[in-house]
Amino acid sequence: MSYKPIAVVGAGFSGAVVAQQLADAGHNVHVFESRSHIGGNCHTERDSDTGIMAHVYGPHIFHTNNEEVWRYVNRYCSMEAYVNRVKACVKGNIYSLPINLHTLNQFFSRTFNPKEAQEFLLGIRDRAITNPQNFEEQALSMVGSELYEAFFKGYTQKQWGRDPRTLPASILKRLPLRFNYDDNYFSHRYQGIPREGYTVLVGRILDHKNITTFLGQMYEKSLAQDYQHVFYSGPLDKYFDSSLGALAYRTLRFEKHTEVGDFQGCAVMNYCDSNFPFTRISEHKYFAPWEQHEKTIYFKEFSSEAGGEDIPFYPIGLAQENELLDRYQRLASAEEHITFLGRLGTYRYLDMDVTIAEALACAKSFLLKNRI
Ligand code: UDP
């Protein structure tokens, strides 16, 4: 049995959870984080001017059906009840999202009850599409062309920089369609936001006598000999120096504004029309309704293709990426002492709860084979 420490690359949820599980089992763990802070893209920090807790890389609302994951995060922080209620601005009107009975009645100026709305939708959706092959077909078969054009077409083109006919149907399957007035964006049993922000939560997960975290420090492959095993949650292609080509990501840019009082009256407003260059505006004091602030900060969110130096946000799972991913995965499985995990390490559009569940499973499987 080797007693070398274990290296964990990345201090987001994946890295922190794996590190904590291994540290608890008695391993010494070194966490390498190239940025100057922990928490990955969930990082939160108080705005120095207003005192508002800012979601630095965009809104993060925790939601899950996974009891184990919910218990896990609650061990480290107080999760405040929070329900994500998103609004949409479409052609000068404000609607409720996800598309629900209120949206349908507002949009078509009707007073449908649930059954009438369902029958109406049956009449307008494209029933010829029985097996949607792309985002547009998925939308047309779900809600028909008018709703598709209003809520999804422009927003999706801005968000992904691609014609929705070239995007996978799975992107839209994330969103519910409801025939009642439930405007909760998520359908999961548990939903909340950590009272003190995500960075404090991740900091507590990492706060263990067997864990040393190195901030602003890249992991170099030449260090591998010092470690028993490496858990790598950075970008999969970057680990292999992009030798087969770069996996495509969308990156986000946030334009910050500060005002006194209130800007939009809700946390998130989507701008679905294509004449607005941004996709949405988020007003961050609404993510902490338990706090009071006189000023407000809000961020316009712009999406673009990630270049080499940009922070990757969304993996783009198109056919050509999947082929490239396949080739990188073959390289990855040939590596003996390294496990790739998380959104960047496995190149998947993962929610926080799935990231944590997978990190727990990853650590468990390693520990079964490597008992101290
Ligand atoms: N979407 C859209 N209009 C909206 C909201 C979402 O077209 O008002 C599409 C868009 O393509 C987006 C996908 O639905 O990428 C999934 O939405 P979700 O809110 O889950 O995106 P995220 O919050 O992860 O960016």
Side-chain angles (χ1 to χ4, degrees):
M1 164 61 70
S2 155
Y3 289 102
K4 282 183 185 173
I6 288 166
V8 169
V9 183
F13 270 122
S14 293
V17 170
V18 159
Q20 177 274 326
Q21 294 283 298
L22 302 181
D24 252 13
H27 289 278
N28 280 318
V29 185
H30 293 174
V31 178
F32 293 86
E33 171 54 61
S34 59
R35 299 192 217 183
S36 59
H37 61 77
I38 58 168
N41 281 2
C42 306
H43 174 51
T44 45
E45 67 186 19
R46 289 217 180 264
D47 176 57
S48 56
D49 174 22
T50 62
I52 295 166
M53 186 64 85
H55 294 219
V56 177
Y57 302 96
H60 282 80
I61 295 110
F62 199 93
H63 54 99
T64 190
N65 273 338
N66 186 320
E67 298 273 349
E68 186 191 6
V69 168
W70 185 245
R71 271 201 308 273
Y72 182 85
V73 291
N74 277 277
R75 256 169 65 190
Y76 296 98
C77 70
S78 155
M79 291 298 274
E80 292 292 324
Y82 183 88
V83 178
N84 192 24
R85 299 188 201 282
V86 176
K87 304 293 174 218
C89 179
V90 176
K91 297 197 171 35
N93 291 304
I94 305 295
Y95 297 99
S96 166
L97 280 184
I99 294 180
N100 63 70
L101 190 51
H102 203 173
T103 327
L104 296 172
N105 280 330
Q106 286 172 312
F107 190 78
F108 294 106
S109 299
R110 305 294 282 263
T111 56
F112 293 132
N113 66 26
K115 188 159 173 275
E116 288 163 345
Q118 246 163 316
E119 280 162 7
F120 177 78
L121 213 77
L122 263 185
I124 60 169
R125 69 185 185 84
D126 191 335
R127 283 189 279 175
I129 305 171
T130 49
N131 184 16
Q133 292 302 307
N134 58 53
F135 186 101
E136 180 168 292
E137 288 185 7
Q138 175 68 28
L140 293 175
S141 68
M142 204 168 117
V143 294
S145 61
E146 250 189 291
L147 290 165
Y148 165 59
E149 306 264 340
F151 290 95
F152 301 131
K153 194 174 178 181
Y155 187 101
T156 296
Q157 177 75 46
K158 287 189 285 186
Q159 171 72 12
W160 297 97
R162 285 159 175 80
D163 186 318
R165 283 172 295 194
T166 65
L167 292 165
S170 58
I171 295 178
L172 188 59
K173 288 188 192 152
R174 289 170 59 82
L175 299 188
L177 165 66
R178 302 215 184 92
F179 296 99
N180 56 32
Y181 287 99
D182 180 1
D183 61 352
N184 186 344
Y185 204 71
F186 302 121
S187 306
H188 283 151
R189 177 165 178 198
Y190 302 109
Q191 189 171 169
I193 292 187
R195 190 175 180 92
E196 292 155 278
Y198 288 96
T199 300
V200 167
L201 162 59
V202 173
R204 291 199 188 131
I205 295 173
L206 286 169
D207 182 14
H208 194 292
K209 67 177 172 48
N210 294 345
I211 299 178
T212 312
T213 302
F214 301 97
L215 286 183
Q217 206 154 313
M218 297 284 288
Y219 168 79
E220 303 292 342
K221 274 192 227 171
S222 56
L223 296 174
Q225 64 202 20
D226 300 337
Y227 293 100
Q228 182 186 343
H229 197 87
V230 180
F231 288 87
Y232 183 89
S233 70
L236 176 61
D237 51 343
K238 291 267 164 57
Y239 180 82
F240 296 104
D241 306 314
S242 305
S243 56
L244 305 174
L247 286 166
Y249 283 95
R250 297 295 284 176
T251 191
L252 298 177
R253 176 173 70 80
F254 298 94
E255 185 184 284
K256 184 184 174 193
H257 299 260
T258 307
E259 279 182 20
V260 173
D262 227 317
F263 171 67
Q264 63 182 10
C266 66
V268 180
M269 175 82 69
N270 288 0
Y271 283 78
C272 302
D273 302 334
S274 38
N275 54 320
F276 291 98
F278 46 88
T279 51
R280 56 185 178 178
I281 299 182
S282 42
E283 186 169 359
H284 289 208
K285 69 178 174 187
Y286 280 98
F287 293 121
W290 53 90
E291 296 183 3
Q292 305 293 322
H293 298 279
E294 279 180 10
K295 286 187 173 175
T296 194
I297 49 172
Y298 62 92
F299 297 83
K300 291 183 179 171
E301 189 170 321
F302 298 82
S303 170
S304 63
E305 207 72 2
E309 297 305 306
D310 293 323
I311 295 174
F313 282 77
Y314 296 94
I316 307 168
L318 298 182
Q320 78 223 38
E321 264 76 47
N322 288 335
E323 211 179 280
L324 188 55
L325 175 62
D326 227 48
R327 294 173 60 208
Y328 274 118
Q329 278 169 338
R330 264 178 268 147
L331 286 185
S333 50
E335 296 278 327
E336 248 188 78
H337 296 293
I338 177 156
T339 304
F340 294 86
L341 76 164
R343 185 174 52 97
L344 303 176
T346 65
Y347 193 68
R348 283 174 306 147
Y349 187 2
L350 297 180
D351 285 331
M352 290 179 278
D353 63 328
V354 180
T355 303
I356 293 175
E358 292 191 359
L360 288 170
C362 220
K364 194 171 177 183
S365 122
F366 177 82
L367 288 170
L368 276 175
K369 291 182 217 137
N370 299 277
R371 286 190 194 286
I372 284 190

